[in-house]
Amino acid sequence: MADQLALTIVTGFIARDGSKISGEGDYDVVKANRGLYNIVFRPPFAVTPVVVATQVFPNDVNNQGGSTRDNAVVVGITERQFRVKVGNGNGDPEDRDFTFIATGVGLSGAALAAWEAEEHRLPDVDVADEA
């Protein structure tokens, strides 16, 4: 089993519209709702990774910055994806740029080959309205 596991690091800088600004690793971004994004790992991790996310606002190094309440919350994590919610200083969901890093045990060897041989589609995303 040890020959099928490897340390994996996936990073991303995601724009408010869900497009990728920069990053490393193979993943898709699904904008689920206002301020709500799913990041889908391709391939998935072997076990649930550690994910850290932070909001980038207003993305100007010469600015004094937004409120410290402008934030990003990792809502949930699985081997296949994580969900992050970003919002404004009032705590309301709002589309904002954010960065993330996910690290953990990834697939390799025969386990990776088996995953690559399968057909993959994006997971269903709950897009229910948020208050």
Side-chain angles (χ1 to χ4, degrees):
M1 183 78 166
D3 65 327
Q4 296 183 16
L5 305 177
L7 177 63
T8 300
I9 300 172
V10 179
T11 65
F13 186 175
I14 309 302
R16 66 187 69 232
D17 65 2
S19 63
K20 296 179 189 178
I21 295 172
S22 65
E24 294 294 326
D26 195 6
Y27 60 92
D28 292 307
V29 181
V30 178
K31 189 170 181 311
N33 209 327
R34 184 179 63 206
L36 196 62
Y37 306 83
N38 283 30
I39 308 300
V40 181
F41 305 118
R42 296 182 171 277
F45 284 83
V47 297
T48 304
V50 173
V51 176
V52 178
T54 192
Q55 187 178 135
V56 180
F57 181 78
N59 197 12
D60 176 358
V61 296
N62 296 311
N63 190 289
Q64 293 297 310
S67 169
T68 55
R69 293 172 295 191
D70 294 322
N71 214 335
V73 176
V74 176
V75 178
I77 309 169
T78 69
E79 294 84 358
R80 189 169 182 199
Q81 66 182 327
F82 77 93
R83 176 171 271 189
V84 62
K85 186 175 190 177
V86 294
N88 61 31
N90 294 325
D92 301 317
E94 189 169 309
D95 295 342
R96 298 278 179 94
D97 298 349
F98 66 94
T99 62
F100 74 87
I101 183 168
T103 186
V105 177
L107 300 177
S108 66
L112 178 60
W115 181 84
E116 290 173 336
E118 298 172 0
E119 181 179 336
H120 301 282
R121 66 178 187 86
L122 290 176
D124 293 331
V125 174
D126 178 11
V127 292
D129 290 332
E130 299 235 352

